């Protein structure tokens, strides 16, 4: 029987449910269990595709083209699995399914209501995910992160569905971790338990009892505070899990393991009843050894590498969480700690020199002091000229540059303007009437519907003849082709390719038709690379993205030796 672990949150959103859920999965995988994950988002959107990164953080893209919450990126990175769009449940998806059934007559004669019809649909969806193979077989454990905060109006149907679900699958197959905040208040730094008490009271009022209370705090939880939470929240002392701030998220599974979480799950979910082969146990043990080595290396690395991230959404760092993680994984692989200079692209533009000269000069100082530059994806006109001058500075000063999606198109526009003499070169996205559209919209993309209509998901990129000595291909192990995840509406105009290549900008990777540009790199530069896809979506702590690794190696002057 499949085991289900639900992770709920209280007091505030953004408390770290995703990291707790991912860390729990990592611990269970270390036992040799097969683990999958579900993220429940209570918003009415069908998916995250049309949400602003500044409002909800990064839009993460899966192999099947699903545009989902950034927490699914956490699951994939921690658990080293590949999920699909069905692993992300939203209110919009559930209501669409229920309404479609109603229109088809599946509820003929019934009054369709939140209970039981919506709650049944939620439970059925979870059971469908539990049947999907993971690592080739049915999962042993399904981890369900319940988004939002217990007590929110929009999450109420999901909380009720979980209340019913615990009886549907049985007590030994259902476990609830409630993540709550223990704030530190006042000059003496007193830890307060009342928010957690109120949060657990709301949870119990909804019919759910926490098996573990994960207490998030900025400092180590005082034993007397843990005892108080145990007493007033009606749980045993060993059911209070202290999760204080640590130096990196890679230490969270270690912290949880040291707190006895694995032994608790063994007893609570009767994990010993699950048959695990010796081979899977060995794989789990190797995973844990590599994980602890990774966490340990993070502490003992003292050399830094500084990368300037020039983007449009830098005011919320979660907008680029996969890019940040990809840089971190690559840096750790190169025995460095990553230091990111977050630069808002508009701050590099001349308009800012007039309106806020201090911010302008500080941004340029940060850019010039960095070892490398990365321009990630984005949409819209704001900040484009700032990105272009950043790419120009990196090209002219031989500073390693990596452009992702929009960042590749920025590199092409800059090269067209300043090397090829196309002074009015632009993208038709930013300037539909430009006489030199070096970036154009793809003909198959819908002009009327925005949601889910981009070029999305895992697609092959074929390395072109003559690219054998190129840095990008060597970083990928000299493969003939690679599969990477995409998310874009616009592409480099194939009419200008011959001009670019004649001037030293080589398109070394293309799609299977040979018409769509995927990877570009510049002759006579230490590392000036762009890719139309998003390599950051496939980064893993123990297996960094090749192009990000190339950027870090170039930034520390070790790329040629590594190749």
């Amino acid at each position: 029987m499949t085991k289900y672990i639900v992770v709920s949150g209280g007091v505030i959103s953004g408390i770290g449910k995703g990291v707790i859920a991912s860390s729990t999965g990592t611990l269970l995988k270390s036992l040799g269990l097969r683990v999958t994950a579900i993220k429940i988002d209570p918003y009415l959107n069908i998916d995250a595709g049309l949400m602003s990164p500044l409002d909800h953080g990064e839009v993460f893209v899966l192999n099947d083209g699903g545009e989902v919450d950034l927490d699914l990126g956490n699951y994939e990175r921690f658990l080293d699995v590949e999920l699909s769009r069905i692993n992300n449940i939203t209110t919009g998806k559930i209501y669409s399914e229920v309404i479609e059934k109603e229109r088809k007559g599946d509820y003929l004669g019934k009054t369709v209501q939140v209970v039981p019809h919506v709650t049944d649909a939620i439970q059925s969806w979870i059971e469908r995910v539990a049947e999907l193979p993971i690592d080739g077989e049915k999962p042993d454990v399904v981890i369900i992160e319940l988004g939002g905060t217990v007590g929110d109006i929009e999450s109420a149907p999901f909380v009720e569905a979980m209340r019913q679900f615990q009886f549907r699958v049985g007590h030994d197959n259902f476990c609830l971790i409630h993540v709550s905040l223990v704030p530190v208040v006042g000059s003496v730094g007193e830890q307060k338990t009342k928010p957690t008490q109120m949060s657990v009271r709301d949870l119990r009022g909804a019919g759910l009892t926490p098996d573990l209370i994960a207490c998030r705090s900025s400092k180590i939880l005082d034993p007397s505070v843990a005892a108080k939470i145990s007493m007033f929240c009606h749980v045993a002392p060993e059911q209070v899990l202290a999760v204080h701030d640590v130096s990196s998220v890679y230490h969270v599974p270690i912290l949880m393991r040291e707190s006895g979480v694995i032994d608790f799950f063994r007893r609570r979910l009767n994990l010993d009843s699950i048959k695990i082969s010796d081979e899977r146990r060995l794989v789990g043990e190797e995973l844990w050894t590599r994980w602890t080595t990774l966490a340990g290396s993070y502490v003992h690395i003292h050399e830094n590498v500084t990368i300037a991230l020039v983007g449009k959404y830098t005011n919320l760092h979660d907008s680029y969480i996969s890019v940040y993680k990809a840089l971190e994984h690559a840096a750790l692989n190169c025995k460095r700690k990553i230091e990111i200079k977050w630069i808002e692209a508009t701050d590099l533009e001349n308009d800012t020199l007039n309106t806020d000269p201090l911010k302008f000069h500080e941004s340029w100082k940060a850019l010039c002091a960095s070892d490398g530059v990365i321009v990630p994806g984005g949409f819209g006109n704001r900040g484009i000229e700032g990105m272009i001058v950043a790419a120009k500075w990196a090209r002219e000063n031989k500073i390693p540059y990596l452009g992702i999606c929009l960042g590749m198109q920025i590199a092409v526009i800059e090269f067209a303007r300043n090397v090829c003499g196309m002074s009015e070169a632009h993208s038709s996205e930013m300037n539909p009437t430009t006489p030199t559209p070096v970036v154009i919209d793809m003909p198959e993309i819908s002009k009327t519907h925005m949601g889910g209509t981009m070029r999305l998901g895992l697609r092959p990129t074929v390395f072109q003849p003559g690219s054998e000595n190129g840095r990008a291909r060597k970083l990928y192990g000299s493969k003939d082709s690679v599969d990477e995840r995409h998310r874009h509406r616009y592409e480099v105009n194939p009419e200008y390719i011959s001009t670019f290549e004649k001037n030293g900008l080589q398109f070394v990777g293309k799609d299977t038709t040979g018409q769509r540009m995927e990877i570009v790199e510049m002759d006579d530069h230490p590392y000036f690379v762009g890719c139309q896809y998003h390599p950051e979506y496939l980064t893993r702590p123990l297996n960094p993205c090749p192009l990000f690794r190339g950027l870090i190696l170039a930034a520390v002057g070790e790329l040629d030796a590594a190749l």
Side-chain angles (χ1 to χ4, degrees), residues 41 98-99 129 312 344 416-417 447 497 526 547:
D41 285 305
V98 170
I99 291 168
V129 175
K312 299 168 59 104
E344 188 69 20
R417 288 183 184 179
K447 303 294 190 298
I497 300 306
L547 296 186

Side-chain angles (χ1 to χ4, degrees), residues 205-427:
L208 288 168
T209 300
D211 295 289
L212 281 175
I213 300 176
C215 300
R216 289 283 295 110
S217 182
S218 58
K219 64 179 187 177
I220 295 174
L221 198 68
D222 189 89
S224 64
V225 174
K228 189 174 180 181
I229 290 171
S230 166
M231 181 169 64
F232 285 103
C233 295
H234 195 60
V235 295
E238 62 267 22
Q239 291 174 266
V240 179
L241 177 64
V243 189
H244 57 268
D245 291 350
V246 287
S247 57
S248 76
V249 291
Y250 310 116
H251 287 83
V252 177
I254 298 172
L255 180 65
M256 292 175 68
R257 185 170 177 141
E258 290 172 348
S259 301
V261 167
I262 285 182
D263 290 334
F264 177 81
F265 284 139
R266 280 189 196 278
R267 296 191 305 272
R268 176 65 183 77
L269 293 172
N270 192 20
L271 294 181
D272 292 333
S273 65
I274 301 173
K275 291 182 180 179
I276 305 172
S277 66
D278 292 339
E279 181 184 358
R280 280 168 57 195
R281 286 187 195 278
L282 184 61
V283 170
E285 289 169 5
E286 289 175 353
L287 165 69
W288 187 247
T289 300
R290 293 170 68 198
W291 191 274
T292 52
T293 302
L294 173 76
S297 68
Y298 189 91
V299 175
H300 296 111
I301 291 173
H302 301 295
E303 289 186 84
N304 285 8
V305 58
T306 304
I307 300 295
L309 190 153
V310 182
K312 299 168 59 104
Y313 318 114
T314 58
N315 290 328
L316 181 66
H317 293 178
D318 270 2
S319 301
Y320 299 114
I321 189 168
S322 289
V323 173
Y324 172 76
K325 292 299 177 185
L327 287 169
E328 185 178 62
H329 299 163
L332 287 171
N333 182 264
C334 300
K335 304 292 188 288
R336 297 292 196 282
K337 275 189 180 174
I338 190 71
E339 181 184 346
I340 295 182
K341 300 291 187 183
W342 301 88
I343 301 174
E344 188 69 20
T346 51
D347 294 342
L348 298 172
E349 298 174 0
N350 286 331
D351 287 348
T352 306
L353 177 60
N354 299 323
T355 58
D356 194 341
L358 180 61
K359 187 175 284 187
F360 175 84
H361 289 296
E362 284 178 345
S363 299
W364 271 102
K365 181 182 177 182
L367 179 66
C368 295
S370 298
D371 302 312
V373 179
I374 185 166
V375 178
F379 297 91
N381 197 42
R382 183 177 60 82
I384 294 302
E385 295 303 323
M387 296 178 189
I388 290 172
V389 293
K392 181 174 186 283
W393 185 85
R395 178 183 59 79
E396 292 180 342
N397 292 279
K398 306 291 186 189
I399 301 299
Y401 173 92
L402 176 60
I404 297 170
C405 196
L406 174 63
M408 169 177 148
Q409 296 170 6
I410 291 293
V412 169
I413 294 168
E414 188 281 323
F415 192 86
R417 288 183 184 179
N418 299 308
V419 177
C420 302
M422 306 175 186
S423 60
E424 295 186 87
H426 219 311
S427 166

Side-chain angles (χ1 to χ4, degrees), residues 39 41 68-69 72 84-90 93 125:
K39 174 66 191 297
D41 285 305
V68 296
D69 185 85
L72 272 84
S84 61
R85 67 181 76 210
I86 195 175
N87 292 81
N88 190 202
I89 305 176
T90 69
K93 286 180 180 178
W125 193 301

Side-chain angles (χ1 to χ4, degrees), residues 133-147:
I134 202 83
D135 296 334
E137 291 186 38
K138 182 180 173 182
D140 302 307
V141 182
V142 179
I143 294 175
I144 305 163
E145 182 190 343
L146 181 55

